[in-house]
Amino acid sequence: MGINRLEDLFEAVKGRPRRKLIAAYANDEHTIVAISKAIDLGLIEGILVGDEEVIGGVCRHENIDPAKFTIVHQPNEQLAATESVTMINNGEGDIIMKGLVSTDKFMRAILNKENGLLPPGAVLSHVTAMEIPNHHKLLIASDVAIIPEPDLKQKVQMINYMVQTAVALGIENPKVAAIAPTELVLPGLQSCTEAALLSKMNERGQIKGCVVDGPLALDAAVDEEAAQIKGIKSPVAGKADCLLFPDLNSGNVFYKTNTKLAGAESAASLVGAKVPAVLASRGDSIETKLYSIALAAMLVK
């Protein structure tokens, strides 16, 4: 049975070997508290790379015992990210997490051609599992954070990552909707034509382990009544588990509209690197970071 609530991730992860999470420049309250809670829940072991004095101050303020963490003193933001990546490469951790370090410096360390975490030829993408109050199940979306305008090859890999995530969440043969403004295959709209190509590639066995249909407008992808009214006959329409957005603009707006205006909770992971990466925003809540840690633990191979 699939996981339909993000909090169910906690019980699912508890049944697995405890993973080691390395947090890069873990100087902020939200990161430290989220990791502390994840440790208390039995999800992970935590390694904090950052300014030991600052980390100690946060722990005192939040009444957290710093002894529950392994603390690696590195007060420089960029060097903390680089050292965290090095530790992953040395086999000292299973998950990497962005702390107070800026996204560009964190990504620079991950994408470093000599000492980074991206295997040759791999596509780095972002997968988000969202729990939306007025929807009956989790929705898995990509990409809302990393790839501005994915080409067809990248979209294939994004689908594969979403399928891997869906399977990890207990969804067998997930239904993937390639999102576009309309269900018509309009030659002038790249989102429509590439969605149709992806659907046909899935039909021909070039994309496996799922059912892909598109182009589908968002309403037809997630609302069975809308799909019926439109007369769409599809195993995916109205029942999508995964939403492939045509570009970062649409994916990011979907994500922020739901989290900021509709009360959605989310868990997200950067995928395609050697290990899952928690790329929560510095402004994300403790709950979002905790859910993201649990999701990353589910995705460790």
Side-chain angles (χ1 to χ4, degrees), residues 140-191:
I140 300 167
S142 185
D143 185 320
V144 308
I146 297 295
I147 306 176
E149 296 182 356
D151 59 25
L152 187 66
K153 182 179 179 181
Q154 289 171 320
K155 287 179 180 179
V156 170
Q157 192 57 62
M158 289 160 64
I159 290 173
N160 289 335
Y161 291 147
M162 285 196 293
V163 169
Q164 291 167 13
T165 303
V167 170
L169 297 178
I171 303 170
E172 295 183 9
N173 202 36
K175 300 174 180 66
V176 181
I179 300 300
T182 175
E183 293 74 40
L184 300 176
V185 182
L186 301 180
L189 278 178
Q190 183 176 342
S191 59

mmCIF file of all heavy atoms in Angstrom, residues 140-191:
data_model
loop_
_atom_site.group_PDB
_atom_site.id
_atom_site.type_symbol
_atom_site.label_atom_id
_atom_site.label_comp_id
_atom_site.label_asym_id
_atom_site.label_seq_id
_atom_site.Cartn_x
_atom_site.Cartn_y
_atom_site.Cartn_z
ATOM 1 N N ILE A 140 3.619 13.591 -6.638
ATOM 2 C CA ILE A 140 5.063 13.693 -6.829
ATOM 3 C C ILE A 140 5.304 14.578 -8.044
ATOM 4 O O ILE A 140 4.751 14.314 -9.117
ATOM 5 C CB ILE A 140 5.683 12.294 -7.015
ATOM 6 C CG1 ILE A 140 5.407 11.444 -5.775
ATOM 7 C CG2 ILE A 140 7.178 12.394 -7.290
ATOM 8 C CD1 ILE A 140 5.693 9.973 -5.954
ATOM 9 N N ALA A 141 6.111 15.619 -7.871
ATOM 10 C CA ALA A 141 6.291 16.607 -8.931
ATOM 11 C C ALA A 141 7.759 16.806 -9.254
ATOM 12 O O ALA A 141 8.630 16.702 -8.393
ATOM 13 C CB ALA A 141 5.677 17.943 -8.517
ATOM 14 N N SER A 142 8.019 17.129 -10.532
ATOM 15 C CA SER A 142 9.373 17.438 -10.975
ATOM 16 C C SER A 142 9.278 18.316 -12.221
ATOM 17 O O SER A 142 8.358 18.168 -13.023
ATOM 18 C CB SER A 142 10.134 16.153 -11.302
ATOM 19 O OG SER A 142 11.475 16.409 -11.618
ATOM 20 N N ASP A 143 10.112 19.271 -12.396
ATOM 21 C CA ASP A 143 11.155 19.741 -11.507
ATOM 22 C C ASP A 143 10.761 21.132 -11.056
ATOM 23 O O ASP A 143 10.401 21.955 -11.868
ATOM 24 C CB ASP A 143 12.475 19.751 -12.267
ATOM 25 C CG ASP A 143 13.689 20.109 -11.469
ATOM 26 O OD1 ASP A 143 13.608 21.012 -10.625
ATOM 27 O OD2 ASP A 143 14.748 19.502 -11.692
ATOM 28 N N VAL A 144 10.829 21.402 -9.756
ATOM 29 C CA VAL A 144 10.382 22.695 -9.248
ATOM 30 C C VAL A 144 11.543 23.558 -8.756
ATOM 31 O O VAL A 144 11.315 24.636 -8.216
ATOM 32 C CB VAL A 144 9.358 22.511 -8.099
ATOM 33 C CG1 VAL A 144 8.232 21.586 -8.533
ATOM 34 C CG2 VAL A 144 10.015 22.008 -6.823
ATOM 35 N N ALA A 145 12.788 23.100 -8.976
ATOM 36 C CA ALA A 145 13.902 23.824 -8.359
ATOM 37 C C ALA A 145 15.204 23.868 -9.155
ATOM 38 O O ALA A 145 16.020 24.750 -8.915
ATOM 39 C CB ALA A 145 14.198 23.213 -6.987
ATOM 40 N N ILE A 146 15.425 22.967 -10.096
ATOM 41 C CA ILE A 146 16.778 22.841 -10.645
ATOM 42 C C ILE A 146 16.874 23.124 -12.143
ATOM 43 O O ILE A 146 17.630 23.995 -12.573
ATOM 44 C CB ILE A 146 17.351 21.426 -10.362
ATOM 45 C CG1 ILE A 146 17.473 21.204 -8.857
ATOM 46 C CG2 ILE A 146 18.709 21.255 -11.020
ATOM 47 C CD1 ILE A 146 18.464 22.116 -8.163
ATOM 48 N N ILE A 147 16.148 22.392 -12.980
ATOM 49 C CA ILE A 147 16.353 22.457 -14.434
ATOM 50 C C ILE A 147 15.405 23.495 -15.039
ATOM 51 O O ILE A 147 14.191 23.283 -15.043
ATOM 52 C CB ILE A 147 16.120 21.078 -15.090
ATOM 53 C CG1 ILE A 147 16.988 20.007 -14.424
ATOM 54 C CG2 ILE A 147 16.437 21.153 -16.577
ATOM 55 C CD1 ILE A 147 16.757 18.609 -14.954
ATOM 56 N N PRO A 148 15.919 24.591 -15.581
ATOM 57 C CA PRO A 148 15.040 25.662 -16.088
ATOM 58 C C PRO A 148 14.157 25.232 -17.256
ATOM 59 O O PRO A 148 12.940 25.410 -17.220
ATOM 60 C CB PRO A 148 16.027 26.765 -16.510
ATOM 61 C CG PRO A 148 17.294 26.455 -15.784
ATOM 62 C CD PRO A 148 17.337 24.968 -15.654
ATOM 63 N N GLU A 149 14.767 24.669 -18.289
ATOM 64 C CA GLU A 149 14.028 24.265 -19.486
ATOM 65 C C GLU A 149 14.535 22.892 -19.935
ATOM 66 O O GLU A 149 15.367 22.781 -20.832
ATOM 67 C CB GLU A 149 14.197 25.292 -20.599
ATOM 68 C CG GLU A 149 13.602 26.656 -20.244
ATOM 69 C CD GLU A 149 13.729 27.653 -21.375
ATOM 70 O OE1 GLU A 149 14.348 27.319 -22.406
ATOM 71 O OE2 GLU A 149 13.205 28.767 -21.239
ATOM 72 N N PRO A 150 14.040 21.827 -19.311
ATOM 73 C CA PRO A 150 14.553 20.494 -19.634
ATOM 74 C C PRO A 150 14.263 20.091 -21.068
ATOM 75 O O PRO A 150 13.179 20.384 -21.600
ATOM 76 C CB PRO A 150 13.799 19.587 -18.647
ATOM 77 C CG PRO A 150 12.570 20.361 -18.283
ATOM 78 C CD PRO A 150 12.970 21.799 -18.310
ATOM 79 N N ASP A 151 15.242 19.437 -21.699
ATOM 80 C CA ASP A 151 15.012 18.898 -23.036
ATOM 81 C C ASP A 151 14.378 17.519 -22.913
ATOM 82 O O ASP A 151 14.127 17.031 -21.799
ATOM 83 C CB ASP A 151 16.310 18.856 -23.845
ATOM 84 C CG ASP A 151 17.410 18.011 -23.199
ATOM 85 O OD1 ASP A 151 17.094 17.081 -22.414
ATOM 86 O OD2 ASP A 151 18.595 18.265 -23.479
ATOM 87 N N LEU A 152 14.100 16.899 -24.036
ATOM 88 C CA LEU A 152 13.386 15.620 -24.013
ATOM 89 C C LEU A 152 14.163 14.556 -23.245
ATOM 90 O O LEU A 152 13.586 13.800 -22.453
ATOM 91 C CB LEU A 152 13.120 15.149 -25.448
ATOM 92 C CG LEU A 152 12.234 13.902 -25.581
ATOM 93 C CD1 LEU A 152 10.824 14.193 -25.095
ATOM 94 C CD2 LEU A 152 12.210 13.409 -27.031
ATOM 95 N N LYS A 153 15.471 14.499 -23.449
ATOM 96 C CA LYS A 153 16.302 13.513 -22.752
ATOM 97 C C LYS A 153 16.245 13.729 -21.240
ATOM 98 O O LYS A 153 16.132 12.773 -20.467
ATOM 99 C CB LYS A 153 17.741 13.599 -23.249
ATOM 100 C CG LYS A 153 18.679 12.584 -22.629
ATOM 101 C CD LYS A 153 20.090 12.703 -23.198
ATOM 102 C CE LYS A 153 21.039 11.707 -22.553
ATOM 103 N NZ LYS A 153 22.425 11.846 -23.099
ATOM 104 N N GLN A 154 16.312 14.980 -20.819
ATOM 105 C CA GLN A 154 16.234 15.276 -19.392
ATOM 106 C C GLN A 154 14.861 14.930 -18.832
ATOM 107 O O GLN A 154 14.747 14.444 -17.705
ATOM 108 C CB GLN A 154 16.562 16.746 -19.146
ATOM 109 C CG GLN A 154 18.035 17.088 -19.360
ATOM 110 C CD GLN A 154 18.288 18.583 -19.315
ATOM 111 O OE1 GLN A 154 17.506 19.380 -19.833
ATOM 112 N NE2 GLN A 154 19.383 18.982 -18.688
ATOM 113 N N LYS A 155 13.822 15.150 -19.612
ATOM 114 C CA LYS A 155 12.472 14.815 -19.150
ATOM 115 C C LYS A 155 12.317 13.314 -18.943
ATOM 116 O O LYS A 155 11.634 12.879 -18.004
ATOM 117 C CB LYS A 155 11.433 15.343 -20.134
ATOM 118 C CG LYS A 155 11.259 16.855 -20.088
ATOM 119 C CD LYS A 155 10.228 17.340 -21.099
ATOM 120 C CE LYS A 155 10.059 18.855 -21.031
ATOM 121 N NZ LYS A 155 9.088 19.366 -22.016
ATOM 122 N N VAL A 156 12.941 12.530 -19.790
ATOM 123 C CA VAL A 156 12.906 11.072 -19.599
ATOM 124 C C VAL A 156 13.527 10.712 -18.252
ATOM 125 O O VAL A 156 12.974 9.906 -17.484
ATOM 126 C CB VAL A 156 13.635 10.354 -20.750
ATOM 127 C CG1 VAL A 156 13.804 8.866 -20.429
ATOM 128 C CG2 VAL A 156 12.875 10.524 -22.063
ATOM 129 N N GLN A 157 14.680 11.323 -17.945
ATOM 130 C CA GLN A 157 15.344 11.014 -16.681
ATOM 131 C C GLN A 157 14.533 11.538 -15.501
ATOM 132 O O GLN A 157 14.451 10.887 -14.443
ATOM 133 C CB GLN A 157 16.750 11.613 -16.660
ATOM 134 C CG GLN A 157 17.610 11.111 -15.509
ATOM 135 C CD GLN A 157 17.735 9.601 -15.500
ATOM 136 O OE1 GLN A 157 18.254 9.002 -16.439
ATOM 137 N NE2 GLN A 157 17.255 8.949 -14.450
ATOM 138 N N MET A 158 13.898 12.695 -15.673
ATOM 139 C CA MET A 158 13.039 13.230 -14.601
ATOM 140 C C MET A 158 11.884 12.281 -14.306
ATOM 141 O O MET A 158 11.519 12.068 -13.143
ATOM 142 C CB MET A 158 12.532 14.617 -14.998
ATOM 143 C CG MET A 158 13.617 15.696 -14.976
ATOM 144 S SD MET A 158 13.192 17.161 -15.967
ATOM 145 C CE MET A 158 11.754 17.783 -15.093
ATOM 146 N N ILE A 159 11.313 11.705 -15.349
ATOM 147 C CA ILE A 159 10.260 10.708 -15.148
ATOM 148 C C ILE A 159 10.808 9.514 -14.382
ATOM 149 O O ILE A 159 10.196 9.019 -13.427
ATOM 150 C CB ILE A 159 9.655 10.256 -16.488
ATOM 151 C CG1 ILE A 159 8.827 11.380 -17.113
ATOM 152 C CG2 ILE A 159 8.782 9.005 -16.306
ATOM 153 C CD1 ILE A 159 8.328 11.081 -18.513
ATOM 154 N N ASN A 160 11.997 9.035 -14.786
ATOM 155 C CA ASN A 160 12.599 7.888 -14.103
ATOM 156 C C ASN A 160 12.802 8.176 -12.619
ATOM 157 O O ASN A 160 12.553 7.317 -11.762
ATOM 158 C CB ASN A 160 13.931 7.531 -14.761
ATOM 159 C CG ASN A 160 13.768 6.923 -16.142
ATOM 160 O OD1 ASN A 160 12.728 6.341 -16.447
ATOM 161 N ND2 ASN A 160 14.770 7.063 -16.991
ATOM 162 N N TYR A 161 13.256 9.381 -12.301
ATOM 163 C CA TYR A 161 13.464 9.738 -10.890
ATOM 164 C C TYR A 161 12.139 9.770 -10.129
ATOM 165 O O TYR A 161 12.066 9.325 -8.979
ATOM 166 C CB TYR A 161 14.134 11.112 -10.791
ATOM 167 C CG TYR A 161 15.571 11.173 -11.266
ATOM 168 C CD1 TYR A 161 16.068 12.328 -11.872
ATOM 169 C CD2 TYR A 161 16.440 10.108 -11.096
ATOM 170 C CE1 TYR A 161 17.380 12.415 -12.298
ATOM 171 C CE2 TYR A 161 17.755 10.175 -11.524
ATOM 172 C CZ TYR A 161 18.221 11.333 -12.129
ATOM 173 O OH TYR A 161 19.521 11.417 -12.556
ATOM 174 N N MET A 162 11.114 10.319 -10.745
ATOM 175 C CA MET A 162 9.807 10.346 -10.075
ATOM 176 C C MET A 162 9.281 8.934 -9.861
ATOM 177 O O MET A 162 8.696 8.636 -8.812
ATOM 178 C CB MET A 162 8.806 11.171 -10.888
ATOM 179 C CG MET A 162 9.007 12.665 -10.791
ATOM 180 S SD MET A 162 7.559 13.609 -11.357
ATOM 181 C CE MET A 162 7.561 13.210 -13.112
ATOM 182 N N VAL A 163 9.482 8.077 -10.851
ATOM 183 C CA VAL A 163 9.024 6.689 -10.727
ATOM 184 C C VAL A 163 9.766 5.989 -9.595
ATOM 185 O O VAL A 163 9.162 5.267 -8.787
ATOM 186 C CB VAL A 163 9.210 5.942 -12.061
ATOM 187 C CG1 VAL A 163 8.998 4.441 -11.885
ATOM 188 C CG2 VAL A 163 8.243 6.502 -13.111
ATOM 189 N N GLN A 164 11.082 6.198 -9.504
ATOM 190 C CA GLN A 164 11.856 5.605 -8.407
ATOM 191 C C GLN A 164 11.337 6.077 -7.058
ATOM 192 O O GLN A 164 11.216 5.296 -6.105
ATOM 193 C CB GLN A 164 13.333 5.973 -8.568
ATOM 194 C CG GLN A 164 14.021 5.319 -9.750
ATOM 195 C CD GLN A 164 15.380 5.940 -10.054
ATOM 196 O OE1 GLN A 164 15.937 6.699 -9.265
ATOM 197 N NE2 GLN A 164 15.920 5.633 -11.223
ATOM 198 N N THR A 165 11.003 7.357 -6.980
ATOM 199 C CA THR A 165 10.470 7.908 -5.738
ATOM 200 C C THR A 165 9.103 7.306 -5.422
ATOM 201 O O THR A 165 8.823 6.920 -4.277
ATOM 202 C CB THR A 165 10.362 9.439 -5.834
ATOM 203 O OG1 THR A 165 11.652 9.986 -6.138
ATOM 204 C CG2 THR A 165 9.855 10.040 -4.539
ATOM 205 N N ALA A 166 8.247 7.227 -6.437
ATOM 206 C CA ALA A 166 6.915 6.659 -6.243
ATOM 207 C C ALA A 166 6.993 5.216 -5.770
ATOM 208 O O ALA A 166 6.273 4.810 -4.850
ATOM 209 C CB ALA A 166 6.113 6.752 -7.543
ATOM 210 N N VAL A 167 7.864 4.446 -6.368
ATOM 211 C CA VAL A 167 8.034 3.039 -5.972
ATOM 212 C C VAL A 167 8.525 2.955 -4.524
ATOM 213 O O VAL A 167 8.063 2.115 -3.744
ATOM 214 C CB VAL A 167 8.989 2.323 -6.939
ATOM 215 C CG1 VAL A 167 9.358 0.940 -6.412
ATOM 216 C CG2 VAL A 167 8.348 2.200 -8.322
ATOM 217 N N ALA A 168 9.464 3.845 -4.157
ATOM 218 C CA ALA A 168 9.949 3.871 -2.775
ATOM 219 C C ALA A 168 8.824 4.184 -1.797
ATOM 220 O O ALA A 168 8.839 3.731 -0.648
ATOM 221 C CB ALA A 168 11.069 4.896 -2.629
ATOM 222 N N LEU A 169 7.820 4.923 -2.264
ATOM 223 C CA LEU A 169 6.673 5.263 -1.430
ATOM 224 C C LEU A 169 5.560 4.220 -1.506
ATOM 225 O O LEU A 169 4.475 4.421 -0.978
ATOM 226 C CB LEU A 169 6.122 6.631 -1.832
ATOM 227 C CG LEU A 169 7.072 7.817 -1.630
ATOM 228 C CD1 LEU A 169 6.425 9.102 -2.118
ATOM 229 C CD2 LEU A 169 7.471 7.948 -0.169
ATOM 230 N N GLY A 170 5.836 3.117 -2.203
ATOM 231 C CA GLY A 170 4.889 2.017 -2.244
ATOM 232 C C GLY A 170 3.878 2.077 -3.372
ATOM 233 O O GLY A 170 2.875 1.364 -3.344
ATOM 234 N N ILE A 171 4.118 2.909 -4.365
ATOM 235 C CA ILE A 171 3.194 3.031 -5.491
ATOM 236 C C ILE A 171 3.694 2.151 -6.637
ATOM 237 O O ILE A 171 4.762 2.414 -7.207
ATOM 238 C CB ILE A 171 3.084 4.496 -5.978
ATOM 239 C CG1 ILE A 171 2.656 5.396 -4.818
ATOM 240 C CG2 ILE A 171 2.106 4.609 -7.139
ATOM 241 C CD1 ILE A 171 2.753 6.873 -5.128
ATOM 242 N N GLU A 172 2.960 1.131 -6.973
ATOM 243 C CA GLU A 172 3.362 0.234 -8.054
ATOM 244 C C GLU A 172 2.875 0.771 -9.398
ATOM 245 O O GLU A 172 1.746 1.240 -9.519
ATOM 246 C CB GLU A 172 2.796 -1.168 -7.808
ATOM 247 C CG GLU A 172 3.366 -1.858 -6.574
ATOM 248 C CD GLU A 172 2.836 -3.270 -6.425
ATOM 249 O OE1 GLU A 172 2.163 -3.764 -7.357
ATOM 250 O OE2 GLU A 172 3.088 -3.885 -5.369
ATOM 251 N N ASN A 173 3.732 0.703 -10.392
ATOM 252 C CA ASN A 173 3.395 1.156 -11.742
ATOM 253 C C ASN A 173 2.739 2.543 -11.720
ATOM 254 O O ASN A 173 1.590 2.708 -12.157
ATOM 255 C CB ASN A 173 2.462 0.152 -12.431
ATOM 256 C CG ASN A 173 2.504 0.269 -13.942
ATOM 257 O OD1 ASN A 173 3.544 0.539 -14.542
ATOM 258 N ND2 ASN A 173 1.369 0.084 -14.590
ATOM 259 N N PRO A 174 3.442 3.546 -11.217
ATOM 260 C CA PRO A 174 2.843 4.875 -11.038
ATOM 261 C C PRO A 174 2.375 5.503 -12.344
ATOM 262 O O PRO A 174 2.922 5.251 -13.416
ATOM 263 C CB PRO A 174 3.981 5.690 -10.421
ATOM 264 C CG PRO A 174 5.225 4.936 -10.718
ATOM 265 C CD PRO A 174 4.843 3.501 -10.770
ATOM 266 N N LYS A 175 1.358 6.336 -12.222
ATOM 267 C CA LYS A 175 0.768 7.039 -13.364
ATOM 268 C C LYS A 175 1.403 8.427 -13.465
ATOM 269 O O LYS A 175 1.318 9.216 -12.518
ATOM 270 C CB LYS A 175 -0.743 7.139 -13.195
ATOM 271 C CG LYS A 175 -1.444 5.782 -13.104
ATOM 272 C CD LYS A 175 -2.921 5.949 -12.781
ATOM 273 C CE LYS A 175 -3.629 4.604 -12.700
ATOM 274 N NZ LYS A 175 -3.141 3.793 -11.557
ATOM 275 N N VAL A 176 2.005 8.707 -14.600
ATOM 276 C CA VAL A 176 2.745 9.959 -14.810
ATOM 277 C C VAL A 176 2.008 10.818 -15.821
ATOM 278 O O VAL A 176 1.737 10.385 -16.946
ATOM 279 C CB VAL A 176 4.179 9.684 -15.312
ATOM 280 C CG1 VAL A 176 4.937 10.998 -15.505
ATOM 281 C CG2 VAL A 176 4.924 8.764 -14.348
ATOM 282 N N ALA A 177 1.689 12.048 -15.432
ATOM 283 C CA ALA A 177 1.051 13.002 -16.332
ATOM 284 C C ALA A 177 2.094 14.003 -16.813
ATOM 285 O O ALA A 177 2.744 14.659 -15.997
ATOM 286 C CB ALA A 177 -0.091 13.725 -15.635
ATOM 287 N N ALA A 178 2.257 14.100 -18.136
ATOM 288 C CA ALA A 178 3.123 15.123 -18.726
ATOM 289 C C ALA A 178 2.266 16.377 -18.907
ATOM 290 O O ALA A 178 1.382 16.424 -19.762
ATOM 291 C CB ALA A 178 3.694 14.644 -20.052
ATOM 292 N N ILE A 179 2.536 17.380 -18.082
ATOM 293 C CA ILE A 179 1.657 18.547 -17.987
ATOM 294 C C ILE A 179 1.907 19.538 -19.126
ATOM 295 O O ILE A 179 3.050 19.806 -19.511
ATOM 296 C CB ILE A 179 1.846 19.248 -16.633
ATOM 297 C CG1 ILE A 179 1.511 18.287 -15.481
ATOM 298 C CG2 ILE A 179 0.997 20.506 -16.538
ATOM 299 C CD1 ILE A 179 0.099 17.763 -15.477
ATOM 300 N N ALA A 180 0.791 20.084 -19.644
ATOM 301 C CA ALA A 180 0.825 21.108 -20.691
ATOM 302 C C ALA A 180 -0.444 21.954 -20.518
ATOM 303 O O ALA A 180 -1.312 21.623 -19.703
ATOM 304 C CB ALA A 180 0.875 20.466 -22.074
ATOM 305 N N PRO A 181 -0.590 23.047 -21.261
ATOM 306 C CA PRO A 181 -1.789 23.872 -21.104
ATOM 307 C C PRO A 181 -3.068 23.224 -21.639
ATOM 308 O O PRO A 181 -4.162 23.637 -21.285
ATOM 309 C CB PRO A 181 -1.457 25.139 -21.913
ATOM 310 C CG PRO A 181 0.020 25.146 -22.066
ATOM 311 C CD PRO A 181 0.421 23.715 -22.103
ATOM 312 N N THR A 182 -2.926 22.210 -22.480
ATOM 313 C CA THR A 182 -4.083 21.597 -23.116
ATOM 314 C C THR A 182 -3.803 20.136 -23.410
ATOM 315 O O THR A 182 -2.639 19.708 -23.451
ATOM 316 C CB THR A 182 -4.427 22.324 -24.438
ATOM 317 O OG1 THR A 182 -5.496 21.633 -25.095
ATOM 318 C CG2 THR A 182 -3.225 22.367 -25.372
ATOM 319 N N GLU A 183 -4.880 19.369 -23.627
ATOM 320 C CA GLU A 183 -4.719 17.959 -23.993
ATOM 321 C C GLU A 183 -4.495 17.780 -25.493
ATOM 322 O O GLU A 183 -4.134 16.688 -25.944
ATOM 323 C CB GLU A 183 -5.957 17.151 -23.584
ATOM 324 C CG GLU A 183 -6.169 17.043 -22.096
ATOM 325 C CD GLU A 183 -6.682 18.326 -21.470
ATOM 326 O OE1 GLU A 183 -7.536 19.005 -22.085
ATOM 327 O OE2 GLU A 183 -6.200 18.678 -20.368
ATOM 328 N N LEU A 184 -4.689 18.841 -26.263
ATOM 329 C CA LEU A 184 -4.459 18.761 -27.700
ATOM 330 C C LEU A 184 -2.972 18.785 -28.011
ATOM 331 O O LEU A 184 -2.208 19.478 -27.344
ATOM 332 C CB LEU A 184 -5.142 19.943 -28.408
ATOM 333 C CG LEU A 184 -6.658 20.057 -28.237
ATOM 334 C CD1 LEU A 184 -7.158 21.317 -28.917
ATOM 335 C CD2 LEU A 184 -7.349 18.820 -28.781
ATOM 336 N N VAL A 185 -2.571 18.020 -29.018
ATOM 337 C CA VAL A 185 -1.173 18.035 -29.440
ATOM 338 C C VAL A 185 -1.010 19.195 -30.425
ATOM 339 O O VAL A 185 -1.278 19.068 -31.620
ATOM 340 C CB VAL A 185 -0.760 16.697 -30.084
ATOM 341 C CG1 VAL A 185 0.714 16.745 -30.474
ATOM 342 C CG2 VAL A 185 -1.025 15.544 -29.120
ATOM 343 N N LEU A 186 -0.593 20.332 -29.895
ATOM 344 C CA LEU A 186 -0.437 21.532 -30.710
ATOM 345 C C LEU A 186 1.020 21.675 -31.129
ATOM 346 O O LEU A 186 1.891 21.840 -30.266
ATOM 347 C CB LEU A 186 -0.882 22.769 -29.923
ATOM 348 C CG LEU A 186 -2.328 22.767 -29.436
ATOM 349 C CD1 LEU A 186 -2.626 24.046 -28.664
ATOM 350 C CD2 LEU A 186 -3.300 22.589 -30.588
ATOM 351 N N PRO A 187 1.312 21.598 -32.437
ATOM 352 C CA PRO A 187 2.705 21.654 -32.902
ATOM 353 C C PRO A 187 3.452 22.910 -32.454
ATOM 354 O O PRO A 187 4.675 22.877 -32.299
ATOM 355 C CB PRO A 187 2.564 21.611 -34.428
ATOM 356 C CG PRO A 187 1.271 20.918 -34.673
ATOM 357 C CD PRO A 187 0.373 21.363 -33.550
ATOM 358 N N GLY A 188 2.739 24.001 -32.223
ATOM 359 C CA GLY A 188 3.401 25.242 -31.831
ATOM 360 C C GLY A 188 3.785 25.313 -30.369
ATOM 361 O O GLY A 188 4.475 26.249 -29.962
ATOM 362 N N LEU A 189 3.347 24.330 -29.567
ATOM 363 C CA LEU A 189 3.672 24.313 -28.145
ATOM 364 C C LEU A 189 4.596 23.137 -27.846
ATOM 365 O O LEU A 189 4.204 21.976 -27.942
ATOM 366 C CB LEU A 189 2.405 24.190 -27.302
ATOM 367 C CG LEU A 189 1.607 25.471 -27.024
ATOM 368 C CD1 LEU A 189 0.359 25.146 -26.216
ATOM 369 C CD2 LEU A 189 2.458 26.478 -26.270
ATOM 370 N N GLN A 190 5.827 23.448 -27.469
ATOM 371 C CA GLN A 190 6.803 22.401 -27.197
ATOM 372 C C GLN A 190 6.348 21.493 -26.065
ATOM 373 O O GLN A 190 6.584 20.275 -26.093
ATOM 374 C CB GLN A 190 8.161 23.030 -26.854
ATOM 375 C CG GLN A 190 9.277 22.010 -26.634
ATOM 376 C CD GLN A 190 10.618 22.680 -26.396
ATOM 377 O OE1 GLN A 190 10.805 23.849 -26.699
ATOM 378 N NE2 GLN A 190 11.546 21.937 -25.832
ATOM 379 N N SER A 191 5.692 22.075 -25.059
ATOM 380 C CA SER A 191 5.224 21.256 -23.939
ATOM 381 C C SER A 191 4.251 20.185 -24.414
ATOM 382 O O SER A 191 4.266 19.043 -23.920
ATOM 383 C CB SER A 191 4.555 22.136 -22.879
ATOM 384 O OG SER A 191 3.461 22.846 -23.425
#
